[in-house]
Amino acid sequence: MKKSQRLEKIVALAKRRGFIFQSSEIYGGFGAAYDYGPLGVSLKNSIAQRWWRAMTQLHENIVGLDSSILMHPKIWEASGHVAEFHDPMVDCKQCKTRYRADEFAGDYDQLDWATVKCPTCGTTGKMTEPRQFNLMFKTMVGPVEESGSEAYLRPETAQGIYVNYLLTQGAMRLKVPFGIAQIGKAFRNEIVARNFIFRTREFEQMEMQYFVKPGTDDDEMTYWKADRINFFTNALGINAEKVRFRQHGETELAHYAKEAWDIEYEFPFGWSEIEGVHNRTDFDLRRHQEFSGKSMQLFDEESREKYFPYIIETSAGLNRMLLAVLSDAYWEDEENNRVVMRFHPALAPVKAVICPLVKKDGLPDLAHKIADDLKQHWKIIYDQQGSIGKRYYRQDEAGTPFGITVDHQTLEDDTVTIRERDSQKQDRIPVTGVVKAIRDRIDNYSRFEPTEKKEL
Ligand code: GAP
C-alpha cells in the first residue's frame, strides 16, 4: 500500500468510527477545521491527561495554568509576533492557487519567480513575488470599529504563561528551576493547511515553560530533550523507530530561540514535527518588562540580586500527537482480514466490550452486571448484536483492547473469557477478577508485534 493511501485509509476510518469529522460538512466543509467525534475527543483527552500527568504530577516543581485566549494586544508586540510572525506567500495568477514561498526553496528570495512552474496548473511565469503574510487572526473586542479595540487570537499559549509567571511563582512559593504547564487552543491563519489535522488554523497546544538559572540552560535542555522523547514511547506507546530529533539550523531558528530541536514522527506523508524543545533564553521576559514597564525579574536569595531566568520550552501540538497515535496504531491484519487500531490500552477510548455469547439463557443479565461494575472504572460498552466474531472485529477497528464474553460456562463456574485485541489471545478468568485482569493488562502493556509484521 502506498503511503498516501495509508493516510486516506486513516482519514476514512476516523470518520466512519467517530474519531474525526470535517468541520461544517453539511455546508461543504470549512477549510482546515475539524471536529472530534465521540472516540476522537476521548482519545484526545487521554493524550492530554497523560501529558498533564507527566508534567504536573511526575514533576513536583511543575504547576498548571489556564490563561485566556484573548489577551492585551501589547503582549504580541512584546513577543515579536506582530513584527516577526509571518510566512512568505506566493500566488499563481493563472489558477489562483496560493503557496508558501518556502515550499519551493528555503532561500526563496534568491529564486527567479518568473521561471517557476505552478505545481497545480503547470503554467510557468505566472507566480507573484513573495509577500509576507502575518499568521495571527485579528478580531474586534467590544463595540465594532471602536479605536483601540483590536485584539488577536493567541498564536501560542506560551505568552499566557510568561505574563503570569511571577504571580504563579509567588502564589506557589516556587524556586528555580520550576515549570508552568498549560493546555489550550491556539490559532494561526495558515496560508496552506493540509495533511488532515496536521496543519490547521485552530489547534491545541500543550506547552511547558521551565524557568532556570542562566548558565544551567544547556544542561536543562539536555534533560528536557530526553524526557520529551521518552514520553512518546513510554506514555503514548509509539514505536521508537518512528520518532526522532531534528535540530533547527541558524536560518530556521525562531526570533526568540538560541537553540531549537523538533521531535518528528514518520507520518504517512513523511517525517514532520510534532513538538519543539526550545531554549528561549530571557528574550520574552526582557521584552515584557520593556513593553509593560513592570519588573519581570526574580530575586536570587544567594546573591541578593534580581535577574531574568532563562526559559526552556517544550511545545507540543495535541492534534499532531493524536495524528501520530492514529497513524502508529493503524494496522491491517491481513492474516485475519481485519483492521486493528493498536492503541496503548491506557489511551484507548473504550477499554472493553462486554458480550453475552447469546441473547438468552440469562447471559445478557450476567453481562449487564459485569458491565455495570466495569463502568465504575472505565468507559466500556455492552454489545449483543451479531456474531461474537463480528462484535470483536467492530471493536478492533475502534481500538478497544479487551473483550469480555459471558457464555454458558459462566453459569456453571462464574468465569468469563477475556480476549486481547492484538493477539486475539483468550484467557478464562473469574468474574470477580475482571477489573484486576484489565488493570494488570493496562499497566503491563507492551506492544504486540505479529510474527511477520508487514509494514504498511
Ligand atoms: N511556543 C512555541 C511554538 O508555538 P511552534 O513550533 O510554532 O512553537 C509548537 O509550535 C507546536 O504546535 C508544533 O510542534 C505543532 O505540533 C503545533 N502546531 C503549530 N502550528 C500548528 C498548526 N497550524 N496546526 C496544528 N498544530 C500546530
Side-chain angles (χ1 to χ4, degrees), residues 81 85 155-159 162 186-190 192-193 197-207 209 248 254 256 262-263 273-276 278 280 313-321:
H81 282 82
F85 196 53
E156 63 171 12
T157 61
Q159 299 301 327
Y162 304 146
F187 302 82
R188 295 183 188 178
N189 199 0
E190 299 283 358
V192 184
I197 56 170
F198 182 80
R199 191 182 301 284
T200 51
R201 300 200 169 95
E202 173 181 345
F203 56 96
E204 277 173 84
Q205 287 189 319
M206 302 191 290
E207 297 200 301
Q209 311 295 325
H248 283 208
Y256 50 73
D262 287 344
I263 297 178
E273 170 192 353
I274 309 184
E275 172 160 350
H278 312 133
R280 291 181 77 129
E313 166 185 72
T314 73
S315 174
L318 175 54
N319 316 74
R320 285 190 190 177
M321 228 182 244

Side-chain angles (χ1 to χ4, degrees), residues 167-211:
L167 291 172
T168 311
Q169 183 261 342
M172 305 305 286
R173 301 163 62 86
L174 299 167
K175 301 229 175 322
V176 282
F178 67 87
I180 304 178
Q182 168 160 228
I183 301 176
K185 292 249 178 178
F187 302 82
R188 295 183 188 178
N189 199 0
E190 299 283 358
I191 297 170
V192 184
R194 63 163 74 106
N195 286 336
F196 195 32
I197 56 170
F198 182 80
R199 191 182 301 284
T200 51
R201 300 200 169 95
E202 173 181 345
F203 56 96
E204 277 173 84
Q205 287 189 319
M206 302 191 290
E207 297 200 301
M208 193 282 297
Q209 311 295 325
Y210 203 64
F211 298 81

Side-chain angles (χ1 to χ4, degrees), residues 6-131:
R6 184 172 166 86
L7 183 64
E8 277 167 27
K9 288 189 174 186
I10 292 168
V11 174
L13 182 143
K15 179 177 178 184
R16 188 170 69 244
R17 298 312 308 254
F19 284 93
I20 302 167
F21 309 128
Q22 169 71 64
S23 162
S24 321
E25 205 195 56
I26 59 165
Y27 289 96
F30 190 65
Y34 290 91
D35 299 336
Y36 291 80
L39 298 193
V41 66
S42 168
L43 187 59
K44 187 154 67 71
N45 286 345
S46 297
I47 295 171
Q49 276 159 14
R50 291 228 119 193
W51 183 88
W52 192 252
R53 174 180 180 273
M55 288 296 176
T56 67
Q57 189 177 322
L58 301 183
H59 292 93
E60 286 170 32
N61 60 348
I62 297 182
V63 296
L65 179 79
D66 185 12
S67 68
S68 57
I69 289 172
L70 294 172
M71 296 191 282
H72 198 295
K74 263 198 159 178
I75 287 176
W76 305 110
E77 285 175 39
S79 69
H81 282 82
V82 171
E84 310 267 0
F85 196 53
H86 37 59
D87 276 344
M89 161 174 97
V90 289
D91 290 303
C92 172
K93 285 183 267 184
Q94 184 69 31
C95 70
K96 312 282 182 246
T97 308
R98 181 159 283 177
Y99 302 96
R100 276 171 61 152
D102 53 5
E103 284 183 17
F104 290 85
D107 218 358
Y108 59 86
D109 276 337
Q110 305 301 317
L111 212 60
D112 179 2
W113 287 91
T115 63
V116 173
K117 189 172 165 184
C118 172
T120 307
C121 68
T123 315
T124 304
K126 289 286 183 184
M127 285 292 182
T128 60
E129 287 294 315
R131 285 168 293 154

Side-chain angles (χ1 to χ4, degrees), residues 172-431:
M172 305 305 286
R173 301 163 62 86
L174 299 167
K175 301 229 175 322
V176 282
F178 67 87
I180 304 178
Q182 168 160 228
I183 301 176
K185 292 249 178 178
F187 302 82
R188 295 183 188 178
N189 199 0
E190 299 283 358
I191 297 170
V192 184
R194 63 163 74 106
N195 286 336
F196 195 32
I197 56 170
F198 182 80
R199 191 182 301 284
T200 51
R201 300 200 169 95
E202 173 181 345
F203 56 96
E204 277 173 84
Q205 287 189 319
M206 302 191 290
E207 297 200 301
M208 193 282 297
Q209 311 295 325
Y210 203 64
F211 298 81
V212 307
K213 277 242 170 83
T216 63
D217 49 317
D218 289 339
D219 285 348
E220 295 289 4
M221 188 77 184
T222 307
Y223 169 82
W224 279 105
K225 276 176 62 194
D227 185 87
R228 291 308 304 149
I229 199 125
N230 279 343
F231 178 82
F232 287 88
T233 45
N234 294 339
L236 301 184
I238 282 181
N239 180 355
E241 287 166 23
K242 298 252 178 190
V243 278
R244 71 175 187 196
F245 274 113
R246 189 185 68 81
Q247 185 168 20
H248 283 208
E250 278 293 313
T251 54
E252 202 186 345
L253 280 176
H255 58 275
Y256 50 73
K258 166 180 156 189
E259 183 187 349
W261 295 80
D262 287 344
I263 297 178
E264 296 186 331
Y265 177 78
E266 193 179 13
F267 288 100
F269 43 85
W271 287 95
S272 304
E273 170 192 353
I274 309 184
E275 172 160 350
V277 185
H278 312 133
N279 183 343
R280 291 181 77 129
T281 67
D282 54 7
F283 174 88
D284 301 272
L285 299 182
R286 280 187 187 275
R287 295 274 293 188
H288 284 305
Q289 177 160 311
E290 189 188 328
F291 279 70
S292 69
K294 300 272 162 49
S295 170
M296 294 299 283
Q297 292 183 302
L298 281 176
F299 183 71
D300 183 28
E301 301 285 350
E302 261 173 45
S303 66
R304 315 294 298 163
E305 281 177 5
K306 284 184 141 194
Y307 71 103
F308 288 104
Y310 267 33
I311 294 169
I312 306 297
E313 166 185 72
T314 73
S315 174
L318 175 54
N319 316 74
R320 285 190 190 177
M321 228 182 244
L322 173 70
L323 184 57
V325 167
L326 285 174
S327 309
D328 212 60
Y330 185 84
W331 172 39
E332 288 184 357
D333 178 2
E334 288 173 2
E335 199 184 323
N336 296 296
N337 197 22
R338 61 181 186 143
V339 171
V340 187
M341 292 306 279
R342 286 188 296 167
F343 298 129
H344 188 302
L347 296 179
V350 176
K351 293 286 180 279
V353 58
I354 323 303
C355 306
L357 187 65
V358 291
K359 283 191 246 177
K360 52 183 185 180
D361 304 334
L363 301 189
D365 287 347
L366 276 176
H368 274 304
K369 262 183 85 186
I370 295 172
D372 283 345
D373 192 14
L374 290 183
K375 75 183 175 205
Q376 300 296 328
H377 304 268
W378 303 284
K379 173 77 186 166
I380 50 96
I381 62 163
Y382 173 90
D383 188 3
Q384 60 176 29
Q385 295 304 324
S387 75
I388 193 72
K390 278 211 177 110
R391 281 181 263 171
Y392 286 154
Y393 276 29
R394 257 200 305 268
Q395 291 308 314
D396 291 344
E397 208 189 38
T400 305
F402 308 110
I404 306 294
T405 300
V406 173
D407 54 20
H408 290 98
Q409 195 178 324
T410 312
L411 299 171
E412 288 161 23
D413 62 6
D414 272 340
T415 62
V416 288
T417 59
I418 179 165
R419 169 192 182 265
E420 293 180 8
R421 173 195 66 202
D422 304 344
S423 64
Q424 303 201 74
K425 191 166 125 322
Q426 299 201 21
D427 289 325
R428 253 204 118 86
I429 55 169
V431 170

